[in-house]
Amino acid sequence: MTGRRRAEREAASARRNLALLNEAGARIGNSLDLETTARTLLDVAVPQFCDLASVDLYQGLLAGDEAPPGMADGSAELRRVAFASAVSDAPLATTACGVTEGECGPVEVGAVHRYPFNSPCAGALRTAQAQIVPGREGEERAELGAVVHSTLAVPMVARDTVVGLVQFSRTKGSEPFGERDTALAVELAARAAVCIDNARLYRREHERALILQRSLLPPGDPEAAGLDIACRYLPGTTATEVGGDWFDVIELPGHRTALVVGDVMGRGLRAAVAMGELRTAVRTLALLDMEPAEVLSALDEIARGLGATGGGARTAARAPRSRTAPSAETSVDCSAETPRPGPGTADLSEVYLATCVYAVYDPVTRRCTFANAGHLPPILVEEGEDALLLDVPPGMPLGVGGEPFEETEVELPDGALLALYTDGLVESREHPLDEGLSAFRTALSETGRPLEDVCDHVLNALDTRHGEDDIALLMARVHGLPKDSVGDWNLAPEARSVSRARELARDQLTDWGLEALVDTTELLVSELVTNALRHGHGEIRLRLLLDRTLVCEVWDADLAQPRRRRARDTDEGGRGLQLVGLLSAGWGSRRTPRGKTVWFELALPDGDTAVPDPADALLSLF
């Protein structure tokens, strides 16, 4: 009878163990959240298998270090990520292993600690073998509230690497751990270790992609002439992969500003990398001072080149060309009209197809030119008016090719509010696009707030916590350049216009209180006007703009762009543009509808930085 009862008990124990393993297989690993996975392991083990349990993971691994110091001998720092107890007033840690000398009290969840080198826990970490630690009741501290008489210290091994330690403890009144219990504990720890390591690797990749994406966004608060800028970026939650949303504010010559918002289709690290490549391309094209439609056309070619790994990939990227671009009336639904890639090309196309809206604002004329590549339309709010979706032709997404982009010019009165955004702000599973746009326009209608408060109000009013997609929001309030900050004159194409230009520049700078820049400005204005007379034709226009810097522009009707060259010692000329480069903070040229504009920029005197001496600059050329 004794043997039969023993066999029945062993059979019942085996069934319980199998049921526990089955439950563990069904519950552990259903989440990519590391702490959730650790808590699920303890929920399975307590109280079915033990009375108390805790999970410690190497702090270095959690921080992204694949081989933290001390990992080999078990002395590295660990962080307690989970604890469970079926005993009331139980401690947060058993004393089977303790903590490092000099530390006292229980180990709280989230605390970082070490195990003494000679402790059973450190030995289990060092040897990757489970150890049974019997309790020593006489040495237990009174504050434990329960007598732990048996503990299993089981290392968590994933992919031949110890990632942490799980402790299972039984209190007085429970059976001590045996060999079968040890085998079951090792199996539970192994299953959980793989899931925890997967969650750790996922978190690491997500954080790296997020760091990459944020590093590619403009740092700090962007500044622009004639605009107050506020921006927000919200990544998707850890339950979703990072996306490819981006925004940018680019300073252009003539105190103009380019505003850019885009969204790479796809998720994960590849989408963030593609976003970085496209953003760099946008900045490069913008600095060439191309028109908005030209920028998007060139960017479209770049996107198609990025996505093409061979002839087949390029053909697949060009396949949707025959689609008709949506009209202005259907611009709200343009994101829904984006061509979907086939099964064979889904991976490439989802990364290298992108939507983008590119706008250039001129604070002098207070006009903004838009070009759109399949993106949601900008929203304009004038003072005392309702928010308005701008009628900007959406065009095709970047990377599709075959369709030209159109430009739309809009006058922005002072005090107007312009909003550029990505679809994550206005669309989710619970809120369709039309509903989100309506709520967005309603939130923007309250324009009396400071711009930063408007951004916060929009994010609080809309459903921004769905975590399904990234959110990028770029808002600008228009105030333009005051008329007294602009000097604009037309000059006849004759030699005496050079002295006239110097006189006009000198008088204007004196009115602005910039006497320290008069000599330098006169010299450079004289050089540019002389070049316009010698190499250009038609009427000459001189313009001075004062904002955070001083900009001087000389316009003529010739299309040929000036080229800077290094003059030889025996050359009588050829040093004019070298002089402009030496004395100015920057210079360049750009095409205009009726010719070209050559410009230079000077930093305003601040009392600390000395203004370059024109005489020294002239002498340095020889």
Side-chain angles (χ1 to χ4, degrees):
M1 292 296 295
T2 303
R4 178 182 296 179
R5 290 178 179 175
R6 185 183 301 113
E8 290 176 351
R9 286 197 302 269
E10 290 179 355
S13 176
R15 286 193 295 269
R16 285 194 301 270
N17 291 349
L18 288 175
L20 192 63
L21 286 176
N22 183 61
E23 183 182 0
R27 296 179 58 184
I28 298 175
N30 291 333
S31 171
L32 282 174
D33 182 73
L34 191 146
E35 286 80 6
T36 300
T37 303
R39 286 195 298 267
T40 303
L41 167 64
L42 301 191
D43 290 342
V44 171
V46 179
Q48 293 92 330
F49 178 68
C50 61
D51 300 313
L52 301 96
S54 63
V55 175
D56 298 319
L57 300 179
Y58 277 121
Q59 174 68 8
L61 291 177
L62 296 177
D65 187 357
E66 293 299 322
M71 224 177 126
D73 59 10
S75 63
E77 289 185 334
L78 297 111
R79 178 159 64 89
R80 178 142 301 176
V81 296
F83 172 81
S85 172
V87 182
S88 60
D89 299 327
L92 294 180
T94 66
T95 57
C97 295
V99 291
T100 50
E101 296 179 4
E103 296 181 4
C104 60
V107 179
E108 301 284 345
V109 174
V112 177
H113 64 98
R114 300 174 188 264
Y115 289 116
F117 181 81
N118 294 323
S119 67
C121 290
L125 291 168
R126 192 164 49 246
T127 62
Q129 300 292 325
Q131 297 198 20
I132 299 179
V133 185
R136 297 185 296 275
E137 296 184 17
E139 299 179 10
E140 295 290 347
R141 296 178 304 214
E143 63 266 23
L144 285 180
V147 177
V148 176
H149 75 98
S150 183
T151 297
L152 269 175
V154 185
M156 307 183 74
V157 183
R159 301 175 180 89
D160 297 326
T161 300
V162 178
V163 298
L165 182 80
V166 56
Q167 293 185 67
F168 303 104
S169 299
R170 288 178 178 173
T171 59
K172 185 177 181 180
S174 302
E175 293 184 3
F177 291 111
E179 292 184 2
R180 290 187 177 181
D181 294 325
T182 302
L184 177 60
V186 169
E187 180 64 22
L188 288 173
R191 294 190 181 193
V194 173
C195 296
I196 286 177
D197 196 50
N198 287 340
R200 178 186 68 84
L201 294 175
Y202 173 80
R203 175 183 290 184
R204 184 191 68 183
E205 295 304 316
H206 185 274
E207 289 175 349
R208 288 179 178 179
L210 192 58
I211 291 172
L212 171 64
Q213 186 175 31
R214 283 179 167 166
S215 68
L216 295 173
L217 296 174
D221 296 326
E223 296 182 350
L227 294 173
D228 294 329
I229 302 292
C231 51
R232 295 291 187 273
Y233 169 74
L234 299 179
T237 64
T238 54
T240 60
E241 292 186 78
V242 68
D245 293 13
W246 91 92
F247 64 88
D248 211 344
V249 178
I250 308 170
E251 294 187 56
L252 300 178
H255 285 317
R256 295 169 303 133
T257 303
L259 305 174
V260 191
V261 167
D263 184 3
V264 175
M265 299 180 189
R267 296 179 184 270
L269 187 60
R270 292 186 63 191
V273 171
M275 177 270 286
E277 293 175 323
L278 292 178
R279 177 177 179 265
T280 301
V282 169
R283 295 190 68 87
T284 303
L285 295 169
L287 294 178
L288 294 176
D289 217 346
M290 302 167 66
E291 295 297 322
E294 294 176 342
V295 170
L296 292 188
S297 296
L299 195 63
D300 179 57
E301 285 292 326
I302 293 172
R304 288 160 57 199
L306 292 175
T309 57
R314 178 171 286 276
T315 301
R318 292 172 183 249
R321 280 185 174 187
S322 59
R323 295 178 62 94
T324 303
S327 63
E329 288 78 5
T330 60
S331 61
V332 172
D333 297 325
C334 61
S335 61
E337 295 297 322
T338 300
R340 298 294 182 183
T345 60
D347 195 29
L348 286 174
S349 60
E350 76 166 2
V351 172
Y352 291 112
L353 283 179
T355 64
C356 178
V357 61
Y358 184 91
V360 174
Y361 172 69
D362 188 337
V364 178
T365 64
R366 290 167 173 77
R367 300 189 70 83
C368 190
T369 304
F370 296 89
N372 192 352
H375 203 79
L376 292 172
I379 293 181
L380 177 65
V381 188
E382 298 184 20
E383 290 184 334
E385 302 289 340
D386 293 334
L388 174 68
L389 284 171
L390 291 180
D391 187 9
V392 179
M396 297 298 286
L398 301 174
V400 174
E403 295 288 343
F405 298 98
E406 301 180 41
E407 292 181 357
T408 300
E409 192 174 64
V410 179
E411 185 172 353
L412 305 181
D414 285 352
L417 186 65
L418 180 67
L420 307 178
Y421 53 97
T422 56
D423 56 357
L425 180 67
V426 294
E427 186 177 23
S428 65
R429 289 188 179 94
E430 288 76 20
H431 299 279
L433 181 59
D434 289 341
E435 180 182 325
L437 284 173
S438 177
F440 187 24
R441 293 169 61 186
T442 301
L444 286 176
S445 296
E446 303 177 21
T447 57
R449 308 166 183 251
L451 196 55
E452 292 290 337
D453 293 345
V454 173
C455 278
D456 294 335
H457 173 67
V458 167
L459 296 181
N460 291 330
L462 300 183
D463 177 23
T464 58
R465 297 175 179 84
H466 51 74
E468 298 172 10
D469 197 3
D470 296 357
I471 294 172
L473 174 62
L474 177 62
M475 303 184 70
R477 177 165 284 153
V478 178
H479 53 76
L481 282 182
K483 290 184 179 181
D484 56 4
S485 295
V486 180
D488 198 345
W489 308 275
N490 291 324
L491 303 172
E494 54 189 25
R496 62 182 180 180
S497 293
V498 177
S499 60
R500 175 61 178 162
R502 289 196 298 266
E503 179 184 350
L504 292 170
R506 180 173 59 252
D507 292 344
Q508 185 65 76
L509 264 62
T510 302
D511 291 342
W512 286 338
L514 299 176
E515 289 83 358
L517 297 180
V518 168
D519 292 342
T520 302
T521 304
E522 279 192 52
L523 179 60
L524 300 187
V525 164
S526 177
E527 179 61 38
L528 295 190
V529 173
T530 301
N531 284 347
L533 286 172
R534 295 182 59 186
H535 305 293
H537 59 83
E539 192 175 55
I540 299 172
R541 181 183 176 190
L542 172 65
R543 189 167 76 166
L544 295 177
L545 307 175
L546 177 63
D547 192 67
R548 290 172 295 142
T549 59
L550 174 68
V551 172
C552 174
E553 298 176 333
V554 175
W555 309 49
D556 65 67
D558 189 65
L559 294 176
Q561 300 293 308
R563 291 192 307 163
R564 180 178 176 180
R565 66 183 181 88
R566 183 174 296 278
R568 294 173 295 183
D569 293 341
T570 56
D571 290 344
E572 294 184 1
R575 296 179 178 85
L577 293 181
Q578 284 185 259
L579 184 64
V580 174
L582 283 172
L583 291 176
S584 66
W587 76 278
S589 66
R590 68 178 187 272
R591 286 188 173 87
T592 65
R594 298 182 180 179
K596 70 174 181 295
T597 301
V598 184
W599 58 272
F600 67 84
E601 184 176 15
L602 295 176
L604 300 182
D606 56 5
D608 297 329
T609 304
V611 178
D613 187 356
D616 293 340
L618 279 171
L619 292 175
S620 69
L621 297 178
F622 297 92

